Amino acid sequence: MAMLSNYSEQAPSRAEVDAYQGATVIEFGTDWCGHCQAAQPHLAKAFSEHLHLQHLKIEDGPGRPLGRSFRVKLWPTLIFMRDGEEIERLVRPQDAESIRQAMNNIVR
């Protein structure tokens, strides 16, 4: 799966996310967020080496249950999961290498 370009207003339930198999990256943020926009080139570079990862790009904000279940406070927040379990998290990443390393930690 390739990197997604826009944040989706539709989010799976936490139970659905917890049931995912394999490696998944969940990115919480908004399309208008400056920090989120600044992270996109770094994400694109990291995803270019991990095209097989499932990527969920979820619009977050007040009243959004999935983001609240992960206690997201700042955007973008990246949750790196393997088989429905959070392995690592990056908040406001500023380089592709830290993202790539986290991706490597969820790949078997």
Side-chain angles (χ1 to χ4, degrees):
M1 175 179 228
M3 179 182 148
L4 299 173
S5 58
N6 293 319
Y7 291 94
S8 174
E9 292 183 23
Q10 301 289 342
S13 70
R14 179 61 189 257
E16 290 172 310
V17 169
D18 289 344
Y20 286 158
Q21 294 298 302
T24 303
V25 178
I26 304 176
E27 176 185 350
F28 290 99
T30 66
D31 289 324
W32 52 262
C33 166
H35 295 287
C36 300
Q37 293 168 4
Q40 295 314 299
H42 307 305
L43 283 160
K45 187 172 183 181
F47 267 103
S48 72
E49 296 177 21
H50 291 282
L51 296 174
H52 59 284
L53 290 179
Q54 178 169 304
H55 181 216
L56 300 176
K57 194 167 184 157
I58 306 297
E59 184 174 301
D60 192 44
R64 303 280 181 147
L66 188 60
R68 302 300 63 77
S69 75
F70 281 100
R71 300 180 189 260
V72 171
K73 299 202 185 289
L74 297 172
W75 302 326
T77 293
L78 306 174
I79 309 290
F80 298 84
M81 300 182 75
R82 183 185 325 118
D83 297 331
E85 180 182 340
E86 182 177 338
I87 304 299
E88 194 163 339
R89 160 185 310 232
L90 292 175
V91 178
R92 293 189 176 168
Q94 297 183 11
D95 61 88
E97 185 56 30
S98 62
I99 299 168
R100 187 178 9 252
Q101 286 176 0
M103 288 175 168
N104 289 338
N105 289 339
I106 62 171
V107 175
R108 291 190 176 167

